[in-house]
Amino acid sequence: MTEKFAVSAKNIYKVFGRRPNEAVERLQHGASRDEITDLGTAAVIDASFDVLPGEIFVVMGLSGSGKSTLIRMLNGLWDTTSGTVTVGDDLITGISAAKLRDVRRRRISMVFQHFALFPHRSVLENAAYALEVQGIPREERLARAQKTIDLVGLKGWGHKMPSELSGGMQQRVGLARALAADTDVLLMDEAFSALDPLIRREMQEQLLELQHELGKTIIFITHDLNEAMFLGDRIAVMRDGRIVQIGTPEDILTDPANDYVEQFVQDVDRARVLTAASVMEPARSTVLATAGPRAALKTMRDLQTSTAFVLGRDRKLQGIVRDADAMKLVRKGVSDLSSILSDEYNAVQEDTYLSELFVPSVESPLPLAVVDANGRLMGVVPRVTLLAALGNVSTDTGELQVIEPPLTVSTAVITDALDASADASAAAIATGDTSSEAKEDAR
């Protein structure tokens, strides 16, 4: 079964000039943008993409890349020179003006960069305007507009005029107006770029909250890479009228399609894009809870580590064991690991951003355990891997479970160390010294 797309663009071109169709034909036969300047200016060249229902699809590019022209073709403000745009089941290219207006009313709303509010109308009346265009009776449209005003955080401001609002509040009115129309698709053209940085971030966060609640399909235009990475489920990067890469934020950041994209993303805040799942490494030092201390020691010896994660048969993380504790059980003839299980490790969810891993990583002498929603161990993030990911450095440390010295000494030396550890523990108890330093010496 073919998946239905909320918006679909197929091989669309937009050329401004005297002979646009001839320009498109030459472009289709391999001519560059610069080679057809005598025929016109190619703003968008052979752009194709599909947007899924409920997706935030970000189109990103520098000034002159063609992104604003592209969005104006998606709602029929400008005709395509060639190619087709479909919104749901409705084709919006090559249709009559009356049909286009009908599709817009039912399917598409738009939020503009500079708010585009009516200065002589109240906040409530501005929010209700799209419903007025649709012919909704006044009482109903005002009631629906009031709900969206409350939704965007402007409860109690409906009677105010736009001039009485800050820039961020005015943009909330624009967002409320678009939401009141209750269309399938929301187009946002540089919607937050005129706002101060703190207000801009607040609006971005609120947009994600609204998207989670309402599930709208959003096509968002921006020149700000960090904004694109924060908002987008997928991102289309444009350059000189062409889409040069489409992918998730992680795809764009970790696997740029060409040198242009690589340079574009080099200064992005990777800590707010990449997640624990993006950088985790396989958890090799693992043992089953039923394995016993000898099997645990063999695993740690083979991998030259001094700690192992203990898993149930369903791979749920139950704790960790240390080599010294396992050795004590072997000497006592105990075959069950449960008595030495420790919870002295830090675990994070797969979707935790790197920016949230710093504190738990610093607080733990072990790599961070990465678990799924059911508590199953999916991988680990050693501290060196975290630092390398932030610096965009490829590394294979080989030290995947612990950052303590490797276990390379003989069994005799281990036994002596265990005896010394036991003596230190007894001394600490006898003197009443239970400080963290004494406990560390006892280890």
Side-chain angles (χ1 to χ4, degrees):
M1 179 178 177
T2 303
E3 186 171 12
K4 181 180 179 181
F5 298 110
V7 177
S8 184
K10 299 299 183 187
N11 308 110
I12 59 175
Y13 291 77
K14 183 60 180 179
V15 178
F16 299 96
R18 297 178 296 110
R19 293 144 64 189
N21 292 325
E22 185 177 342
V24 168
E25 186 175 350
R26 288 185 58 184
L27 289 167
Q28 290 173 337
H29 285 84
S32 69
R33 193 185 198 186
D34 293 337
E35 291 173 336
I36 57 96
T37 53
D38 56 323
L39 303 175
T41 300
V44 175
I45 304 171
D46 198 21
S48 295
F49 57 87
D50 298 306
V51 182
L52 298 172
E55 181 178 30
I56 299 182
F57 186 84
V58 176
V59 181
M60 180 186 68
L62 299 176
S63 178
S65 62
K67 59 188 186 299
S68 291
T69 301
L70 177 63
I71 199 172
R72 282 162 173 75
M73 289 191 289
L74 297 183
N75 68 354
L77 285 176
W78 288 341
D79 293 329
T80 62
T81 306
S82 180
T84 61
V85 176
T86 305
V87 179
D89 296 326
D90 293 306
L91 185 69
I92 68 166
T93 47
I95 62 176
S96 68
K99 176 64 174 176
L100 180 58
R101 286 194 297 270
D102 177 64
V103 173
R104 283 182 187 153
R105 281 194 297 266
R106 292 184 294 105
R107 296 282 197 179
I108 308 169
S109 298
M110 192 159 183
V111 181
F112 300 91
Q113 177 179 357
H114 295 292
F115 320 139
L117 303 180
F118 295 110
H120 60 287
R121 292 188 176 213
S122 68
V123 167
L124 183 59
E125 290 170 333
N126 266 284
Y129 177 72
L131 299 174
E132 181 180 340
V133 173
Q134 293 178 11
I136 305 297
R138 177 178 173 79
E139 185 176 346
E140 180 183 347
R141 68 174 182 256
L142 292 180
R144 287 171 57 178
Q146 185 62 58
K147 289 181 180 179
T148 60
I149 287 175
D150 295 347
L151 196 61
V152 300
L154 291 178
K155 187 174 183 178
W157 290 82
H159 65 286
K160 298 289 187 179
M161 304 302 287
S163 60
E164 300 178 84
L165 276 56
S166 66
M169 296 174 78
Q170 289 185 50
Q171 192 58 288
R172 290 174 190 270
V173 179
L175 183 56
R177 178 176 57 195
L179 293 175
D182 197 26
T183 57
D184 302 322
V185 178
L186 188 62
L187 305 180
M188 305 185 72
D189 186 13
E190 298 274 10
F192 303 148
S193 62
L195 304 177
D196 293 335
L198 291 178
I199 301 299
R200 183 173 188 169
R201 184 68 176 190
E202 184 181 324
M203 290 297 298
Q204 292 168 359
E205 291 172 350
Q206 181 165 42
L207 180 64
L208 292 180
E209 291 174 6
L210 290 170
Q211 172 67 357
H212 178 73
E213 183 175 345
L214 302 176
K216 295 291 184 182
T217 301
I218 300 174
I219 300 178
F220 193 99
I221 304 296
T222 184
H223 64 273
D224 186 309
L225 182 60
N226 282 306
E227 182 170 65
M229 294 285 181
F230 182 70
L231 293 176
D233 294 313
R234 286 188 301 145
I235 300 170
V237 182
M238 294 193 72
R239 182 189 187 188
D240 296 335
R242 296 183 183 273
I243 294 177
V244 295
Q245 185 172 2
I246 297 177
T248 66
E250 183 179 334
D251 292 337
I252 301 293
L253 189 58
T254 61
D255 189 21
N258 53 36
D259 291 342
Y260 173 77
V261 180
E262 185 173 7
Q263 290 178 348
F264 208 71
V265 303
Q266 64 183 358
D267 295 325
V268 73
D269 186 355
R270 303 173 67 87
R272 297 188 181 278
V273 177
L274 298 179
T275 63
S278 306
V279 301
M280 68 182 181
E281 299 181 4
R284 296 176 182 170
S285 187
T286 62
V287 296
L288 290 176
T290 56
R294 291 183 182 278
L297 281 173
K298 183 179 186 307
T299 295
M300 289 184 271
R301 183 180 67 246
D302 291 346
L303 294 171
Q304 297 189 354
T305 68
S306 56
T307 307
F309 291 102
V310 179
L311 310 178
R313 292 196 177 277
D314 55 1
R315 288 198 60 82
K316 283 189 177 180
L317 180 56
Q318 299 186 2
I320 61 169
V321 293
R322 292 187 171 88
D323 53 2
D325 296 327
M327 181 63 74
K328 289 179 182 178
L329 292 186
V330 170
R331 294 174 64 189
K332 292 178 180 179
V334 177
S335 60
D336 186 357
L337 290 173
S338 60
S339 63
I340 61 170
L341 277 181
S342 170
D343 60 0
E344 295 179 359
Y345 64 92
N346 285 334
V348 297
Q349 295 289 316
E350 294 175 287
D351 59 355
T352 305
Y353 288 113
L354 297 195
S355 59
E356 301 173 47
L357 300 186
F358 298 127
V359 172
S361 179
V362 169
E363 290 178 344
S364 174
L366 306 178
L368 298 176
V370 182
V371 297
D372 66 10
N374 295 314
R376 293 176 297 194
L377 183 65
M378 308 306 293
V380 294
V381 180
R383 194 177 305 164
V384 66
T385 300
L386 176 60
L387 296 174
L390 293 174
N392 197 20
V393 176
S394 176
T395 180
D396 183 5
T397 66
E399 184 70 21
L400 299 182
Q401 274 67 51
V402 296
I403 54 175
E404 301 167 335
L407 183 66
T408 56
V409 294
S410 68
T411 302
V413 174
I414 293 174
T415 303
D416 292 341
L418 292 174
D419 291 338
S421 175
D423 292 341
S425 297
I429 295 172
T431 60
D433 184 3
T434 55
S435 66
S436 59
E437 290 82 5
K439 291 177 180 176
E440 189 63 33
D441 290 340
R443 289 179 182 175

